[in-house]
Amino acid sequence: MLGAYACYYLFTGLGLDPFAALPVAMALLFCLGYVIQRYVLNLVIRGPMFNTLLITFGLEVVITYVAQIAFSADFRTVNPSYAGANFNFFGATVPLARLLAFGVALGLTFGLWLFLEHTRIGRAIRATAQNLIGARLYGVNPRHLYALTFGIGAALAGAAGTLYGVVSQINPYIGSGLTGKSFAIAIIGGLDKSIYVLAGGLFLGIVEAMTALYIGPTYTDVVSFGILVLVLIVRPTGLLGRTA
Amino acid sequence: VKFSTKLALAGVGIALVATVPWWGSAVLVQFGINALILATLAQSWNIIGGYTGYPSFGNSVFYGLGGYGVAIAMVQYGLPFPAGLAIGISLAVGFAILLGLPVLRLRGHYFAIATLGLAEVMTAIVSNLEIAGRNVGLILPLVKGDALFFELSLILLVVTTLAVMWISRSRFGFGLIAIRENEQAAAVMGVNTTLYKILAFALCSVFSAVAGGIHAYWITYLDPGSAFDVALNVKMIIMAVFGGPGTIFGPVLGAFVLSAISEILATKVTSLASVFFGIVIVAAIVFMPRGFADLVRRFRQSGWRYFQENIRTYRV
């Protein structure tokens, strides 16, 4: 949601193209995510399991309503000159803005995967997820690392928000619904490799589109969350994963 | 203090609260009904979340089914309110047993997300049902009588709290606590974990469903978005955790304190109320992660250092 608004104000205020605003929005959200994790979430991270979830809910309430006061509750759209442009590809009409958004999202997902698999920091993140004390013994500073991880997550969510603003309408309340969807996608894909979200996302997207077309648009949530529950019951590791 | 004295004190307290509709203003009575219903919901979440250690996001489903049971019975079939409640309870218990069986096999975050998914599925299903009025919802017959609803909610809260009190000192309750602390060990000790978990889930579904039924009849209006609201579920969890999960009076206290804070904020600083409420939640979890009950218990030994100790224990 904040990424979408960052993009909106960069576009309307500075005339920056949404795709050029994307790195700026990511940088802003990274800083915010880093600070939140380092100075708030790190304080409760080893507390009772449920507290991290509740505290992020509290933060979501704060941010949503601050956004409502700052940006107003009006619907906004980011409308670059090519928003309506499309081209014909073997008989299928392809909207340009959506295709670009798809490409960028794909690139970011692959980028994250390569980052987690092949860089020093990526390895440190995965090691900490497996065993905090072990990682610490090998010289990882968990305070910094958790903050970094959350910052990267926030930056990617910000990028997604920017793209969302290009293809859809934004308001201060879009965040919580998208959080639910991202839980579903990550779990359906499987949590052991970050690239699995690609499979989860494509699968869920296609299933939702098919449901809307053949059963009715009001049934998409029945099907997508139904699949989430089924996957959790039958195969809690996700469709592609090995470990829960 | 002796147990009988405590019991007498509690009785006097309840009797005093019961007189509120006779001297309180209409605003106070309405606030009271909401607070009592939220306290009931927090208390029933306490059974599955606090004692058994299964953080359910599906309790809003029980609440919604209770409401819809009453609404459908009264609007579509012209049945009286108690019959509606019975239908609502049976729907909720049926749901708890049928879906608890597979879902209660999951643990921790997975259980939370699965129940969250179930809540979303139920919202979407109900908004497609003709008998439940689809997206638009149902309008119930109007009854004027806030006093009646106040007393009903109070009775419900007392019954729920008595049930939790019984749990906390019964064999069943010790079984649930054993499951929370270490499920495998509990199973080895001869606790039928599947049966216990489902019983706990079904028990909390009964109280949540009655709360939903009373609330729907009181508000006289029901729609899928508000009946199965996940935010309401988060609210019960926050209230239970604020007061102290797995204690008898913690969730009730948490519900009353947080309802009062949010009511005062809403009248004093209208536009910023939600922001402050969010900050209260964040601060509460940072400074008293084990709830108010734990604060009271340990503050005597540690004094103000209590807050510092908490942060030291749980930060990385």
Side-chain angles (χ1 to χ4, degrees), chain B residues 136-190:
Chain B
V136 186
L138 294 168
I139 295 172
L140 284 86
L142 186 67
V143 180
K144 279 186 79 90
D146 281 354
L148 172 71
F149 288 110
F150 188 94
E151 303 302 346
L152 275 180
S153 316
L154 182 62
I155 293 169
L156 177 62
L157 177 61
V158 171
V159 172
T160 314
T161 307
L162 285 175
V164 170
M165 211 181 249
W166 168 75
I167 284 174
S168 74
R169 49 190 76 206
S170 70
R171 198 184 159 80
F172 175 61
F174 288 128
L176 296 184
I177 294 171
I179 290 172
R180 176 183 73 197
E181 297 302 327
N182 187 336
E183 192 161 343
Q184 274 159 349
V188 172
M189 297 295 285

Side-chain angles (χ1 to χ4, degrees), chain A residues 47-211:
Chain A
M49 167 188 77
F50 219 50
N51 284 11
T52 332
L53 240 153
L54 290 179
I55 203 168
T56 46
F57 175 80
L59 287 170
E60 189 202 306
V61 172
V62 174
I63 291 173
T64 303
Y65 286 93
V66 168
Q68 180 194 302
I69 293 163
F71 310 141
S72 93
D74 295 346
F75 280 84
R76 314 258 188 203
T77 47
V78 180
N79 261 327
S81 54
Y82 49 83
N86 54 49
F87 61 91
N88 211 313
F89 185 76
F90 292 114
T93 310
V94 182
L96 188 63
R98 279 173 183 260
L99 184 70
L100 278 174
F102 177 71
V104 172
L106 208 60
L108 285 172
T109 315
F110 269 111
L112 176 70
W113 177 57
L114 290 176
F115 172 78
L116 286 177
E117 294 286 315
H118 295 292
T119 64
R120 227 181 126 75
I121 299 175
R123 275 196 288 271
I125 290 175
R126 287 185 295 134
T128 312
Q130 280 176 9
N131 188 332
L132 175 62
I133 296 169
R136 223 168 174 166
L137 288 174
Y138 278 87
V140 172
N141 173 2
R143 278 181 214 176
H144 175 64
L145 190 91
Y146 276 128
L148 209 60
T149 312
F150 196 70
I152 293 167
L156 286 172
T162 313
L163 301 175
Y164 189 86
V166 178
V167 298
S168 189
Q169 293 173 314
I170 57 177
N171 66 47
Y173 320 109
I174 55 174
S176 58
L178 293 174
T179 307
K181 277 276 147 72
S182 41
F183 271 143
I185 287 169
I187 295 223
I188 289 173
L191 294 175
D192 7 343
K193 283 207 166 47
S194 74
I195 200 75
Y196 292 166
V197 296
L198 206 60
L202 282 174
F203 176 69
L204 205 68
I206 292 170
V207 168
E208 283 199 354
M210 293 290 174
T211 314

Side-chain angles (χ1 to χ4, degrees), chain B residues 8-9 17 35 38 41 64 66 88-89 96 99 122-123 128 143 163 181-182 192 200 205 236 240 250 254 271 295:
Chain B
L9 275 174
V17 175
L38 282 170
L41 290 174
I89 293 174
L99 287 156
M122 281 312 291
T123 320
N128 280 302
V143 180
E181 297 302 327
N182 187 336
N192 185 343
S205 81
M236 12 178 153
S271 62
L295 171 77

